[in-house]
Amino acid sequence: MTAPDGRLAALRDRAREWGAGFAAAALDLDRDPDRIADHLDLPGVRFMSTFGVPAEFGRPPLRIGPHRFEGTTALERAVVLEELARGDIGMTLAAPGPSMSGVLVEQLGDRAQREWFYGRVLAEPTWTCFALTEPDRGSDASALDTALRPAGDGTLELTGAKRYVGNASRARVAAVFARTRPGPLGVTAVLVDTGDPGYRAEPLDSLGVRGARICAVTLDRVRVDPERVLGRHLSPTRRGIWASVQVFNRLRPSVAALALGVAGAAHDLLLEHRAAARGTARERIERIGRRIGATRALVHRAAAAVDATGDGYLASAAKARACRLAEEVTLEAGELLAPAARATHPLLDKLVRDARGVEFMEGTRNIQHLNLFQGLLSGRADG
């Protein structure tokens, strides 16, 4: 699967065109994440705003020649996200749309919930966020502190705190994981209207993936209608820990693809100087290209496995390898480009920062590592 078939190649080529528009605005967004408002008309951003909404809910599928794409498979998402992130991962993550929450709603939502969620996304550019990680618990769903309890008037009450939530301060809808009772069957997810009292999101300082506007979220007795409890039509065994595992299985090829895009962007910078490279340097540039190709084959294989069976073994391996590759390639690019060349490529510094942040996307249990990382970044930014 190193070379995509004609259908996926057409999708890749279209996404690569969109990614070029992202690259042109990358540094602007990195300096000021609020500038995403100035880029909502970019074709790639418009596509991302509804990417993943099934056609049955009113979104016309993307048509390229004879091919039709709904964007609901892990493989299609991997192909698109790699090329967009190759343009700029910050713009890719800053774009409005269903994003990670859409995968959760697709997995757990009943018909009415899906109509409500997708209807809002289609009506206008709408940011969403996926709130699982907690300040002291990481993304270990079995150890959640955030609580969902009856409020006494037929509604539910959501109390707790989340951290490292992308787009939380922009979001109109938040998918929040919480606990209803002890044990693995006590975990559930709810859809929250962020305009309701008690929801507060505060942006955190970050050095990488700044466009995503990473936030801390406080939930102070937020009222939730029981109809917004995802998986309410399913048994507890299929809406708790099992559901979070299935969602992460489907998301990990996407995260791996984003990391591949960052590595690919760094490799593109190296290719601009390949003609002047000699000996070992030229060999290293060519070796990087081969490593990216091999990792892409693994990512696509993992995505195909998730689509076919839901198996996440390869997806976890693909994410780990791609994230490591992004870090190693961006750092190696810094070594290979002479200081004078680095000065003419301000994107390289950004790529190094972005690569370090991809590892923590869609959750981490190593919350101490993440807190330390944020502190180090803040210190470096201040210095």
Side-chain angles (χ1 to χ4, degrees), residues 90-149:
M91 187 73 72
T92 305
L93 297 174
S99 191
M100 295 172 67
S101 296
V103 176
L104 181 66
V105 171
E106 184 183 350
Q107 182 78 40
L108 288 181
D110 61 24
R111 181 73 188 190
Q113 291 166 338
R114 296 170 80 194
E115 288 178 347
W116 180 83
F117 179 85
Y118 293 136
R120 296 192 67 170
V121 167
L122 291 173
E124 60 181 333
T126 300
W127 281 269
T128 63
C129 68
F130 183 95
L132 171 61
T133 299
E134 296 190 349
D136 298 317
R137 302 291 185 177
S139 300
D140 183 355
S142 65
L144 292 179
D145 279 338
T146 299
L148 183 68
R149 298 285 186 265

Side-chain angles (χ1 to χ4, degrees), residues 5-12 14 47 51 53 55 59-72 76 80:
D5 60 26
R7 180 175 180 275
L8 290 179
L11 181 62
R12 177 203 60 198
R14 180 65 57 85
F47 177 77
F51 185 39
V53 176
R59 173 186 179 267
L62 173 68
R63 295 185 180 276
I64 305 174
H67 307 299
R68 166 186 170 128
F69 304 93
E70 289 194 19
T72 56
E76 286 182 12
V80 169

Side-chain angles (χ1 to χ4, degrees), residues 26-39 170 210-211 213:
L27 292 176
D28 181 46
L29 187 66
D30 188 59
R31 285 188 292 267
D32 182 3
D34 288 337
R35 294 296 296 274
I36 183 61
D38 299 332
H39 302 295
R170 300 167 172 151
R210 286 174 46 79
R213 187 58 95 189

